Amino acid sequence: MGSVGDNARVIAGRYRLDARLGRGGMGVVWQATDQFLGRRVAVKELALDETLSDADAEQQRERTLREARAAAQLRHPHIIVVHDVVVQNDHPYIVMELIEGGSLAGRIARAGPMGAREVARMGIGLLGALRVAHAAGVLHRDIKPANVLMEDTTGRVVLTDFGIAQVSGATTLTDTGSFMGSPEYTAPERMSGERTGPESDLWSLGALLVTAMTGESPFRRDSIGGVLHAVVYDEIRPPPAAAPLLPVILGLLERDPQRRLGTVEAERLLRTYVETGRMPSTPAGRAGGQPAALPVAGPGGYSPTYRDLPVRRPGQSAGPSRRRRRAMLIAAALVAAVAGAGVSAALLLGREDNGGTPPLPTQSAQTKTVSPSPSPTPTVTVTRGSRTPKPSTPEAPEGYRVTKDPRGFTLAVPEGFTREVDGPRVFYISSGGTFRIGIKESAPEPGGPQAVQRRADAKGPENNPGYRDGEVTETSHNGRPAALWQFTWDGFTQAEGARHTYDLCWEEGGRMFDVWVSAPLDKAREGRRYFDTAVDSFVRR
């Protein structure tokens, strides 16, 4: 995090950008000072796609501002307050209240799953927020743990980042074949490219409630194709830990939007649970199609799904509706397009880009990349190509090769890099040692990736001569909590000169992984490209 200085930028003649709080594909979030009112605020500096034509860039800017202004009209205790929307030098900024506290994603990563009553209270607040937004015709479209803030002093939960929010009625699968959102929290009808409404946000909330209670999204898989298949086809079986709120969860995760549990009913059920500790039955046959009673997890940890429940609405046939069959067919084509694309699943998943360097272009034809959401959970880019990579094998961009390391992982490394081993660490090093890619696998450590990186940052001066500009950012990797640590240091020798290091840490399959790249300071941008490719192509075998 930077420090306040005399030359701090001031936008709109009023908001002084004091320190950077985080960075994502949609822009940078700053801690700022409203010099007119003398209060601290958060300012999101929105990133615009520099590859667009002037006309398309102007259209994107106007759409962004229109949607931000719509979000600014929303008033609810659990919706982030938007104070102002300004433009300076053709660049849009959103000025918001500053929430002192981390995200739900960070809370889960640090402390693990939450209790059922705490999750129910959170759900009530978020349902109230969505009710207000939907009444105003605003859809959020990216509800996930990283977009829920938790205020330290009050415990208030706040729904933030309406950055890809959209006025209801607009499509979500664009003419270019691009898709925005976080796949593990995206409703099947949105995956299918159908016109969506408030029900899609409610599906996302259902997935979020499961994550809060169990520590993991119910649709987490090892590849984007797996995620899409899980959302559209797989039986939905929340883990036993979700049993106390199962009627609400299964109601929200109903694949048919017309049968999905509504805001009012979901809030009623959660309030009753908070007050009594018991989940009431829901009347069969009502709009929303929920059964009169849902069984909880049985022997062996089995959790029921709607396929286990014979209840259906009066006059409804046993098979799926024509609308749902159409959605499933479109989604099947979408899954097939992703599975057949000439890009590895890891490269299809966007990540936090804290270094400002775009990912390397792929070799697939007709590719349109969508910037990831400003929070840690990844976005999807639907890419159409011709070649099909081998399962679980990353595809090497031009100038790279895929290496299957003896330590049990696979990744793409630049041609000419050679392998070296130093205890538990594996290095791939360029000629002369200019660039160094490091990989380490270890047992999980207390506090998770964020705590590990913060401890490393604290020991930075001890382990890295001339350590400076250290920064740890909460992010995610393949949908799992992660932390990015980057810093500058003097190098091991005077002749070597100053260097910059990018280091990503995450947990997967009960193990902790660390991937980093060290590069000369004047070649940090090139080092960032090596880093992004190493992380995006990394596969544990």
Side-chain angles (χ1 to χ4, degrees), residues 193-209:
E194 292 195 332
R195 299 175 71 87
T196 60
E199 299 83 6
S200 298
D201 280 347
L202 293 174
W203 168 284
S204 302
L205 178 61
L208 180 143
L209 296 180

Side-chain angles (χ1 to χ4, degrees), residues 131-392:
R131 186 173 63 250
V132 169
H134 294 163
V138 176
L139 308 180
H140 189 282
R141 299 202 305 156
D142 198 22
I143 295 171
K144 59 187 178 185
N147 284 343
V148 175
L149 301 181
M150 308 184 77
E151 196 168 43
D152 286 339
T153 56
T154 65
R156 179 172 65 119
V157 294
V158 181
L159 183 59
T160 186
D161 206 354
F162 282 79
I164 67 168
Q166 184 180 42
V167 176
S168 61
T171 59
T172 57
L173 188 65
T174 68
D175 293 336
T176 62
S178 300
F179 171 81
M180 294 182 68
S182 303
E184 295 178 19
Y185 299 93
T186 299
E189 64 270 18
R190 284 197 59 223
M191 290 286 195
S192 307
E194 292 195 332
R195 299 175 71 87
T196 60
E199 299 83 6
S200 298
D201 280 347
L202 293 174
W203 168 284
S204 302
L205 178 61
L208 180 143
L209 296 180
V210 176
T211 302
M213 295 185 71
T214 67
E216 185 172 86
S217 163
F219 305 108
R220 177 167 294 174
R221 300 294 187 271
D222 291 335
S223 67
I224 182 58
V227 173
L228 292 173
H229 193 278
V231 169
V232 177
Y233 294 113
D234 286 351
E235 289 192 58
I236 299 172
R237 298 181 182 274
L245 304 184
L246 197 62
V248 173
I249 288 169
L250 290 182
L252 295 174
L253 295 181
E254 162 60 54
R255 286 194 171 101
D256 185 346
Q258 295 180 350
R259 291 172 53 85
R260 198 165 295 155
L261 193 65
T263 306
V264 174
E265 182 68 0
E267 189 172 343
R268 181 188 73 83
L269 294 173
L270 291 177
R271 285 192 183 280
T272 302
Y273 180 80
V274 169
E275 294 168 1
T276 67
R278 298 185 62 186
M279 182 63 65
S281 61
T282 56
R286 62 160 180 80
Q290 307 309 314
L294 287 170
V296 298
Y302 170 76
S303 296
T305 72
Y306 272 112
R307 296 184 183 183
D308 301 305
L309 306 169
V311 178
R312 61 180 71 100
R313 291 191 298 178
Q316 184 180 21
S317 63
S321 67
R322 179 179 300 178
R323 182 175 184 271
R324 184 180 173 195
R325 284 197 301 269
R326 175 180 176 274
M328 293 175 70
L329 288 172
I330 296 175
L334 181 60
V335 172
V338 172
V343 183
S344 71
L347 290 174
L348 287 171
L349 285 173
R351 284 189 306 107
E352 286 287 83
D353 182 6
N354 293 279
T357 303
L360 291 174
T362 67
Q363 299 175 8
S364 296
Q366 303 178 14
T367 301
K368 174 66 177 179
T369 301
V370 178
S371 297
S373 64
S375 48
T377 306
T379 30
V380 177
T381 301
V382 176
T383 311
R384 292 170 175 80
S386 57
R387 292 182 295 153
T388 302
K390 295 179 181 179
S392 302

Side-chain angles (χ1 to χ4, degrees), residues 2-52:
S3 58
V4 179
D6 294 335
N7 60 348
R9 272 198 298 154
V10 176
I11 61 170
R14 174 174 178 175
Y15 304 106
R16 186 184 69 224
L17 306 184
D18 297 329
R20 194 176 76 177
L21 295 177
R23 179 171 187 152
M26 289 191 69
V28 179
V29 178
W30 299 86
Q31 177 181 305
T33 299
D34 181 343
Q35 298 180 116
F36 183 73
L37 295 178
R39 66 180 175 186
R40 294 198 301 166
V41 295
V43 173
K44 178 180 287 186
E45 179 181 2
L46 296 176
L48 298 177
D49 188 347
E50 296 180 357
T51 66
L52 297 177

